[in-house]
Amino acid sequence: MTDHQTTARRFQTGRWRRLRSLRVRLIAVFAAVALLAAVSASGIAYWLNRDAVLKRAQDTALNDFRVSLTRNVSELPLNASCPELAALASSVASSGLSYDVVVVDQAHPECSASSDPAHFTLADVPTALQSTVARPREVTENNPYPYHLYWQRQNLEGRPFVIGGTKVVPDGPTAYMFKSLENERADLNTLGWSLAIATLLALIGSALLAQAASATVLRPVKRLGDAARRLGEGHLDTRLEVEGSDELADLARTFNRAAESLHEQVEELSAREAQSRRFVADMSHELRTPLTAMTAVTDILEDEAESLDPMIEPAVRLVVSETRRLSDLVENLMEVTRFDAGTAKLVADEVDVADLIMSCIDGRAWYDAVELDAPRGILAVVDPRRLDVVFANLIGNALKHGGSPVRVKVRQDGESVVVEVSDSGPGIPEDVLPHVFDRFYKADRGRARSEGSGLGLSIAMANARIHGGTITAANGEVGAVFTLTLPLAPPPPPSAGEAEGGPAGDAAEDKDAT
């Protein structure tokens, strides 16, 4: 992955995290509720006002049209001519409400009189309205007139009109009214913009209110998060100031009680761990004196083993082997206590890594079973004794559990040196890989009496860490591969408890997992 792709992914991750924050979600909820309420209220108000404005305008125009038509049609003679129909249309339209009139008569079907012939003719009247106006209704007790006034809203050339029509008398003319609703539409547009601005202001107000509410609610949550973070970093004396009696105050009290309980448990566990370390250290020191005497005696017994009774010789060799194993275990345990107490120190010197590996192989007579690919000239500031322990453990384990040939490859990677140790064995089971550097861990739980103590790889990891490096375990194409990575420059002094993994010693006799 390129740097650009990495930066883009981090940006997207950060943006997604910000979008998912509680503050953003709270503001979004407030804004959504306010927007829904404002839009609903504005929509209802708009439609109610729209119906009221249009109904008032059209009712006023239709009533005036009816009155004016009734007043002027009485002066119209029977079988009126086109000029007389045009005069009727002009007279009806001159009522002062600014509408136009079209008059037609069955006696003169070719004549269509209009108060404004250039803009309004019979062709502008909807066909449905014409057929409805011309169709008589049955005269009943509840309906004394066969003809009525009908209306319809229609857009003509993009302008809104209400068009009304009625037949005056059964044999009289039919008149149609065209009333423009431009003014009403302008008023409704103004009302719509006003409601839209009110909705926007409501949305902004809700966002500000949500911001204020979220600040009030999230401030204690943020303090709780900071306190939990400090507690996770090891500041066990972290406590929250409790104010009020609401749910957040109860949460703060619960956090304080949990922190207090955790503090007490950690102190208790720390005290027990310190006692355990002192016990291991004291036990190891107490065992060193008798083990020194026993080792001296076993050396003598080993020299005289061949001259002993054949029935006794196996027992003597077993005592010699187990005494040395016990001595190595005690030395390892003592080094463990040094790492745990933070007293393990580096005696660093600049050495050639290739020479150090060659010295480790030659000193243990492994040169016939190890293939070394180590160019000279890679200088590193290390502790030769501790690094020899690491090489001895990794190479010895590869020979013991993986089988030869064992390949050791050294290369420089920037400011680090990398040493890969691979064997020709079956590899490490996948479920064992995460635990190979654990103390006293063995892949085969049935090998409780194996030669190794289960501390070897833990020792190697601790020595790598005190150098500022690390060791990784993996499976290659053939066998297991252990990779040691160390900085070329000397690391800073380790703090107490930094290296939690194990002592030095002849770890070549232990392969914890494989």
Side-chain angles (χ1 to χ4, degrees), residues 1 11 114 160 186 190 275 342 368 378 389 432 479 489 495 503:
M1 183 178 294
F11 174 74
S114 174
T190 302
Q275 292 176 356
D368 291 335
I378 301 178
V389 170
V432 175
S495 58

Side-chain angles (χ1 to χ4, degrees), residues 259-334:
E260 184 66 29
S261 176
L262 179 62
H263 193 184
E264 293 174 356
Q265 293 179 15
V266 169
E267 286 185 343
E268 181 180 356
L269 291 175
S270 298
R272 291 181 180 179
E273 184 179 3
Q275 292 176 356
S276 299
R277 289 176 179 176
R278 284 196 298 270
F279 172 76
V280 172
D282 295 343
M283 180 187 68
S284 300
H285 281 288
E286 291 297 328
L287 288 175
R288 287 190 79 179
T289 301
L291 277 175
T292 301
M294 292 172 62
T295 302
V297 172
T298 55
D299 289 342
I300 296 174
L301 289 176
E302 186 179 21
D303 293 338
E304 299 295 332
E306 295 181 357
S307 61
L308 296 176
D309 189 320
M311 298 294 294
I312 301 176
E313 181 183 358
V316 171
R317 296 192 180 278
L318 178 62
V319 169
V320 171
S321 174
E322 292 300 313
T323 301
R324 288 178 176 173
R325 182 171 178 268
L326 180 60
S327 178
D328 292 338
L329 178 60
V330 170
E331 291 295 329
N332 290 342
L333 289 175
M334 291 183 66

Side-chain angles (χ1 to χ4, degrees), residues 39-54:
V39 168
S40 300
S42 299
I44 294 173
Y46 179 81
W47 284 109
L48 290 176
N49 281 274
R50 178 180 180 275
D51 289 342
V53 169
L54 294 179

Side-chain angles (χ1 to χ4, degrees), residues 29-363:
V29 169
F30 267 74
V33 172
L35 182 62
L36 179 61
V39 168
S40 300
S42 299
I44 294 173
Y46 179 81
W47 284 109
L48 290 176
N49 281 274
R50 178 180 180 275
D51 289 342
V53 169
L54 294 179
K55 188 175 186 304
R56 183 173 62 251
Q58 73 187 20
D59 287 350
T60 301
L62 290 172
N63 289 333
D64 185 82
F65 172 65
R66 179 188 292 111
V67 172
S68 181
L69 181 62
T70 302
R71 183 176 61 248
N72 289 281
V73 77
S74 60
E75 302 175 358
L76 187 70
L78 294 175
N79 298 322
S81 62
C82 279
E84 292 173 333
L85 292 177
L88 174 64
S90 299
S91 298
V92 174
S94 62
S95 65
L97 291 184
S98 300
Y99 55 79
D100 292 284
V101 176
V102 174
V103 179
V104 295
D105 193 356
Q106 293 179 351
H108 303 283
E110 76 285 353
C111 180
S112 176
S114 174
S115 61
D116 187 4
H119 295 92
F120 302 100
T121 63
L122 183 62
D124 296 320
V125 180
T127 304
L129 181 61
Q130 293 183 37
S131 62
T132 303
V133 169
R135 185 170 57 250
R137 296 173 59 181
E138 182 181 359
V139 176
T140 63
E141 181 180 353
N142 297 324
N143 182 41
Y145 303 105
Y147 296 98
H148 294 268
L149 176 62
Y150 298 95
W151 60 271
Q152 181 176 342
R153 291 177 192 155
Q154 182 80 16
N155 284 334
L156 299 178
E157 297 180 355
R159 299 167 56 197
F161 285 86
V162 57
I163 304 174
T166 184
K167 191 174 181 63
V168 178
V169 293
D171 296 329
T174 301
Y176 297 98
M177 176 205 70
F178 293 83
K179 170 61 178 174
S180 174
L181 299 177
E182 280 287 339
N183 294 334
E184 286 73 18
R185 182 166 70 174
D187 293 340
L188 290 175
N189 289 339
T190 302
L191 176 62
W193 278 108
S194 300
L195 292 175
I197 294 173
T199 301
L200 180 60
L201 293 177
L203 183 61
I204 295 174
S206 67
L208 295 177
L209 181 61
Q211 176 69 18
S214 64
T216 303
V217 174
L218 296 181
R219 191 178 298 112
V221 176
K222 185 178 184 300
R223 287 201 297 264
L224 178 62
D226 293 339
R229 192 176 301 108
R230 291 196 302 272
L231 190 66
E233 293 172 353
H235 303 284
L236 301 180
D237 57 344
T238 302
R239 300 293 183 272
L240 288 173
E241 182 179 354
V242 181
E243 298 178 355
S245 58
D246 55 5
E247 290 81 358
L248 292 175
D250 291 339
L251 181 60
R253 293 189 186 93
T254 303
F255 174 84
N256 289 340
R257 288 194 295 269
E260 184 66 29
S261 176
L262 179 62
H263 193 184
E264 293 174 356
Q265 293 179 15
V266 169
E267 286 185 343
E268 181 180 356
L269 291 175
S270 298
R272 291 181 180 179
E273 184 179 3
Q275 292 176 356
S276 299
R277 289 176 179 176
R278 284 196 298 270
F279 172 76
V280 172
D282 295 343
M283 180 187 68
S284 300
H285 281 288
E286 291 297 328
L287 288 175
R288 287 190 79 179
T289 301
L291 277 175
T292 301
M294 292 172 62
T295 302
V297 172
T298 55
D299 289 342
I300 296 174
L301 289 176
E302 186 179 21
D303 293 338
E304 299 295 332
E306 295 181 357
S307 61
L308 296 176
D309 189 320
M311 298 294 294
I312 301 176
E313 181 183 358
V316 171
R317 296 192 180 278
L318 178 62
V319 169
V320 171
S321 174
E322 292 300 313
T323 301
R324 288 178 176 173
R325 182 171 178 268
L326 180 60
S327 178
D328 292 338
L329 178 60
V330 170
E331 291 295 329
N332 290 342
L333 289 175
M334 291 183 66
E335 191 67 11
V336 166
T337 60
R338 296 189 188 102
F339 277 107
D340 289 344
T343 58
K345 303 296 181 183
L346 282 178
V347 182
D349 191 12
E350 187 177 55
V351 297
D352 191 310
V353 177
D355 291 342
L356 192 58
I357 297 176
M358 184 61 71
S359 175
C360 174
I361 295 173
D362 290 344

